[in-house]
Amino acid sequence: MNAGAQPPPGRLRSAPSWLINQASAHSHRLVVEGFAAVDARGYHYRLLAALADGGPASQAELGRRTGIDRSDVVAALNELADQQLIERSPDPGDRRRNVITATPAAGRHLARLDGVLAQIQEDLCAPLSPAEREQLVRLLTRIVEHHAKPV
């Protein structure tokens, strides 16, 4: 809460939706600031992680893997290409599509971003013990999976 701000009404302080929203806003700010400090964005991390985990893919497939809108995928891939972190090549099976491949520099950059993200997790979860952090992840995972749309 901002210095000088009044606490929310009691009924909000006990509403999971309000608490999750407050934590999410704080988390989002930490992620944006943390990645900006190393000239990156959350989309860059998501795309590079998807390539590292799943290998080369079309732009459309990367959008599905990461949940990023198609137009945002293209813009973020353009930024990564400008940094020589990805390469586009024609798909041998469909010349209308590009296959995106991470460069060796992408692996080094992703490792750096992993470190940034680890520090963000530390900052976000500072008041929690290791056991509480594990419990928080388990509980949030259950909520997210319960409300996930079937594919």
Side-chain angles (χ1 to χ4, degrees), residues 1 21-43 45 112-128 133 136:
M1 195 173 345
N21 189 41
Q22 296 303 301
S24 175
H26 185 65
S27 174
H28 179 73
R29 182 184 57 76
L30 290 173
V31 168
V32 168
E33 290 173 358
F35 284 149
V38 294
D39 197 28
R41 298 188 308 127
Y43 283 173
Y45 182 83
R112 183 176 183 201
L113 296 181
D114 282 336
V116 170
L117 192 59
Q119 185 58 54
I120 291 166
Q121 304 315 302
E122 283 298 314
D123 295 346
L124 179 66
C125 296
L128 304 178
R133 291 174 189 204
L136 177 65

Side-chain angles (χ1 to χ4, degrees), residues 40-116:
R41 298 188 308 127
Y43 283 173
H44 297 165
Y45 182 83
R46 287 162 63 181
L47 290 164
L48 292 175
L51 288 168
D53 291 352
S58 69
Q59 293 175 168
E61 176 61 25
L62 285 173
R64 286 188 291 276
R65 284 187 199 172
T66 60
I68 301 172
D69 183 78
R70 185 179 323 160
S71 62
D72 293 328
V73 168
V74 172
L77 288 174
N78 287 342
E79 294 166 359
L80 293 172
D82 289 345
Q83 298 174 44
Q84 299 181 337
L85 298 173
I86 58 122
E87 294 175 344
R88 289 180 170 107
S89 57
D91 183 337
D94 184 349
R95 292 293 215 201
R96 297 169 295 171
R97 286 192 319 193
N98 285 318
V99 173
I100 310 303
T101 306
T103 65
R108 294 186 296 275
H109 188 64
L110 183 58
R112 183 176 183 201
L113 296 181
D114 282 336
V116 170

